[in-house]
Amino acid sequence: MQKNKWICLSAYCIIIAEIGLDYIIKPDFMWRYTGLVLFAVVLLLIYGHRRAWSGTLYDSHGRYILKTVWVILIGSVVLIFSSIAWILLGIYTGISALYSIIWPVLIVFYALVLWAFYRSIKGLVYLLKEKTVTSGWF
């Protein structure tokens, strides 16, 4: 198998394993920030090989992986900061905001995780079939 295919395959497998370990299985021995470390590894792996992939099948997979990882990271950060702001607003006004924000945040967060899991499985299947993948939202 080619080196480029192994890199894309590794990136997809890291994302799938991270989602599976961090959000589904949640083992006790896992470090708290494993997801951030693994997503950083994926970003370094893809950005490091992106120039060599220009105009090839792996260029579309690289863009697809980067979009997935960046949306997950930015979406998680936005959810965390908006939750903190909502809770602080509740503390400031004296209204308990924790119960009103927890369910919408969890629903959006797990929708984001399922979206990334779906994109990773789809990209992996397209990679194994040696097809390009479109960089849309799904």
Side-chain angles (χ1 to χ4, degrees):
M1 205 181 282
Q2 294 176 338
K3 175 184 170 186
N4 294 332
K5 190 171 185 176
W6 272 108
I7 292 169
C8 284
L9 184 67
S10 299
Y12 283 126
C13 289
I14 288 171
I15 294 170
I16 292 168
E18 190 278 323
I19 290 172
L21 285 174
D22 227 15
Y23 301 112
I24 298 170
I25 298 173
K26 292 189 181 226
D28 292 335
F29 64 87
M30 293 293 285
W31 182 40
R32 180 179 290 277
Y33 301 106
T34 307
L36 291 175
V37 171
L38 290 177
F39 282 143
V41 167
V42 170
L43 287 174
L44 289 172
L45 193 64
I46 298 301
Y47 276 124
H49 293 87
R50 198 165 171 203
R51 280 194 186 157
W53 294 346
S54 182
T56 65
L57 161 79
Y58 307 106
D59 185 37
S60 70
H61 284 280
R63 283 185 278 118
Y64 193 75
I65 292 168
L66 288 175
K67 184 175 185 177
T68 304
V69 171
W70 279 117
V71 167
I72 268 288
L73 288 175
I74 292 171
S76 297
V77 168
V78 166
L79 280 174
I80 289 168
F81 282 121
S82 64
S83 299
I84 291 170
W86 190 258
I87 291 169
L88 290 176
L89 179 68
I91 291 171
Y92 179 74
T93 59
I95 301 169
S96 177
L98 183 61
Y99 297 113
S100 64
I101 191 64
I102 194 76
W103 288 109
V105 167
L106 284 176
I107 289 170
V108 171
F109 181 70
Y110 279 110
L112 199 60
V113 168
L114 288 174
W115 173 81
F117 190 70
Y118 167 76
R119 278 181 63 97
S120 299
I121 295 293
K122 178 184 172 186
L124 183 62
V125 168
Y126 275 54
L127 179 68
L128 293 176
K129 290 182 180 180
E130 297 194 9
K131 292 182 179 179
T132 60
V133 64
T134 59
S135 189
W137 288 101
F138 289 100

